[in-house]
Amino acid sequence: MNASSFSPPDPVRIDLRDAAAVYSACFDALREGREEEGIKLAEAALAHRPDEARLHHVAGLLYRQIDENEAAIRHLDRAARLAPGDAGIAHAVARAHLEGGLPSIALFRRALSLAPRDEDAMMGLIGATVRDRGPAAGLALIEEAVVRHPRWVAAQEMLAQLLWQNGHRAGYTRRLEATLAADPRNLSLWRSLISARINGEDLDGALEAVRAGRAAAGDHMLFDANEATCLADLGATAEAEARFARLGDAPGAAFQVHRVRHLLRTGRPAEAGELALRFTDTPAGDMFWSYASLAWRMIGDPRALWLEGDPRLVGLYDLGDRIPSLDALAARLRTLHLWTHQPLVQSVRGGTQTDGQLFPRIEPEIRSLRRAIAEAVAEHVAQLPPPDPSHPVLSPRRDRRVRFAGSWSVRLAGGGRHVSHIHPMGWFSSAFYVVVPPPEARGPAPAGWLTLGEAPAELKLDLPPLRLVEPKPGRLVLFPSLMWHGTRPFEAGERISVAFDVARPPLYSPSQ
């Protein structure tokens, strides 16, 4: 279905007293990114049926989808009072309170009393426990869950992540290892162990797990592909080349990305660009566009300029006068940094990152920040180059609304930085600076600056950044999510930033 052929349902044709029809239409609006239409329909129907639990439920979900959590909580709380035995509503209430920054442990426990096997609700309870009672309490709860359910892969992965973030670098995969000793043919757990070690930058340990897994569970693409990528990243070029050649066109976007990386690292950018281009129309296309950009820059292909060269793709917006108080915002953000170490899977080095989504929180400092950022994003989208259907960023769908695919805060100390990376789930990505060390503390320029277009260091490519941006309190930088970005380390001081991904416009856009 394309945008030009899609017509949203006409609310006038829906009998507002028919709760089932309204509920179905509102869920369609939720699924298709037409939240405002769904909200209007739900609110109109609730004027006729104020005690209809399912209408309050779907209204809450619609508000939650656009980060309006105060309204979401109001509707979901009402739904729970009207339908106290509904497990789905109970879980939605708990999730909205958690995302809004409100106490939610008791709410998740109630949801679990109604649906004891709900793994998502259990994960929510762990997140609520970390936030409300501290990392140690959350770790104890997830460890207890893993002991009871050792083959629960998501829980095993969460335990490894939380142990890592709390500084347990030596034993963060110990539960995975213990479970595999008892269940050595479990490919899902071998995948989790190998990935955890790779994300922990322990490539030798990942290779050790690959070989142990193959010995225990037999030959499998999981082991072959990870062996090839680890060898390549370790610089064992000849061994990696032999394994990549043997695997050839094996399926899986992650494996093909590592093939492209191997070609770039070994000085074959033309081949890398051709291989990347084969996958740009897949769901993982943005990862391949990012590597195609490096390949094209290396060989002087004009498509590199077409992809990232237009200066309107990157925007700098100074929002200091739109934020009531950067100091108050910084104080609020500091309370949300609960962990002692960087996340296992993210780009942060020498700092911490907040859990969960930032923009759904209901504190006034966060709400005012979100409003200012949404205005700036709309300004940025309005000034973009003309639509180009073949360009991965310049979609003909230019939605006037702003939706966020993720939002978080990062706090760095002296020596902290971000390694160069991309955000394949976003449309535009960002850095908003709240606290920045003074120049005399951070060191000579460009210490602490944002880099755009710089290749990952491990590829060892002779490509300078396309642009360097100086951080300043109140400054927002917007750039395509497929553009490589990182930061230079700085010597001393504190840096607090907010980052987010702007979601791609939905299939249906009211601006059309």
Side-chain angles (χ1 to χ4, degrees), residues 123-172:
M123 290 297 192
L125 175 60
I126 294 161
T129 302
V130 168
R131 193 196 61 198
D132 294 347
R133 296 182 181 170
L139 274 168
L141 190 58
I142 186 64
E143 184 122 30
E144 178 187 335
V146 168
V147 169
R148 289 200 314 268
H149 306 288
R151 292 172 180 80
W152 183 7
V153 173
Q156 287 273 11
E157 291 176 347
M158 179 180 251
L159 176 59
Q161 161 78 6
L162 298 191
L163 285 169
W164 176 273
Q165 280 186 260
N166 213 38
H168 298 281
R169 298 303 169 81
Y172 72 104

Side-chain angles (χ1 to χ4, degrees), residues 179-333:
T179 305
L180 281 165
D183 186 13
R185 299 187 66 81
N186 191 317
L187 289 175
S188 295
L189 290 175
W190 281 115
R191 179 180 290 107
S192 298
L193 176 61
I194 294 165
S195 295
R197 289 185 176 175
I198 290 174
N199 289 326
E201 299 180 337
D202 179 12
L203 296 178
D204 289 322
L207 274 179
E208 178 186 320
V210 163
R211 289 157 185 163
R214 185 184 287 125
D219 288 334
H220 193 275
M221 173 68 182
L222 164 68
F223 303 123
D224 297 342
N226 278 290
E227 185 175 47
T229 58
C230 286
L231 288 169
D233 285 345
L234 283 167
T237 303
E239 292 179 78
E241 180 72 27
R243 283 159 177 77
F244 278 120
R246 186 170 69 245
L247 291 167
D249 288 330
F255 172 70
Q256 295 300 337
V257 161
H258 282 284
R259 278 186 69 199
V260 173
R261 286 167 59 90
H262 177 66
L263 291 169
L264 287 170
R265 187 188 278 115
T266 54
R268 291 172 283 177
E271 292 179 58
E274 291 174 9
L275 179 59
L277 207 56
R278 286 168 47 190
F279 295 94
T280 52
D281 286 333
T282 68
D286 276 3
M287 288 196 297
F288 292 94
W289 281 116
S290 300
Y291 286 103
S293 74
L294 299 178
W296 292 339
R297 287 170 62 194
M298 291 173 71
I299 61 177
D301 191 308
R303 287 177 293 184
L305 193 61
W306 164 81
L307 182 62
E308 296 180 313
D310 195 303
R312 291 170 288 182
L313 291 171
V314 177
L316 273 62
Y317 302 88
D318 290 315
L319 306 184
D321 59 347
R322 305 189 201 182
I323 307 296
S325 169
L326 286 175
D327 289 341
L329 176 59
R332 174 67 66 184
L333 292 173

Side-chain angles (χ1 to χ4, degrees), residues 328-401:
L329 176 59
R332 174 67 66 184
L333 292 173
R334 288 187 186 101
T335 69
L336 306 181
H337 285 269
L338 303 175
W339 297 98
T340 59
H341 290 72
Q342 67 204 35
L344 179 59
V345 188
Q346 304 300 326
S347 65
V348 181
R349 300 293 184 271
T352 60
Q353 182 169 311
T354 54
D355 288 336
Q357 301 295 319
L358 185 65
F359 288 162
R361 298 183 68 93
I362 65 174
E363 296 95 338
E365 300 89 353
I366 305 299
R367 301 308 299 159
S368 61
L369 171 66
R370 188 192 185 283
R371 283 192 295 272
I373 282 177
E375 291 172 1
V377 170
E379 293 170 20
H380 187 66
V381 171
Q383 62 81 53
L384 287 174
D388 178 352
S390 64
H391 195 284
V393 177
L394 301 176
S395 166
R397 291 186 279 122
R398 300 289 175 86
D399 199 339
R400 294 192 185 100
R401 304 164 303 163

Side-chain angles (χ1 to χ4, degrees), residues 22-101:
V22 173
Y23 181 78
S24 177
C26 287
F27 255 106
D28 287 343
L30 180 67
R31 186 178 63 252
E32 292 158 2
R34 298 180 289 107
E35 295 90 354
E36 283 88 351
E37 288 182 23
I39 287 168
K40 289 179 182 177
L41 180 57
E43 296 283 15
L46 281 165
H48 297 276
R49 303 286 296 271
D51 294 330
E52 188 67 48
R54 56 185 160 174
L55 294 183
H56 284 289
H57 181 199
V58 74
L61 297 178
L62 287 158
Y63 278 114
R64 179 176 163 227
Q65 187 72 10
I66 59 172
D67 297 337
E68 294 293 341
N69 251 13
E70 288 181 296
I73 289 168
R74 184 176 67 251
H75 279 286
L76 291 169
D77 283 353
R78 181 73 183 278
R81 289 193 296 272
L82 292 166
D86 189 303
I89 291 175
H91 185 186
V93 169
R95 188 66 61 177
H97 279 251
L98 174 64
E99 292 171 350

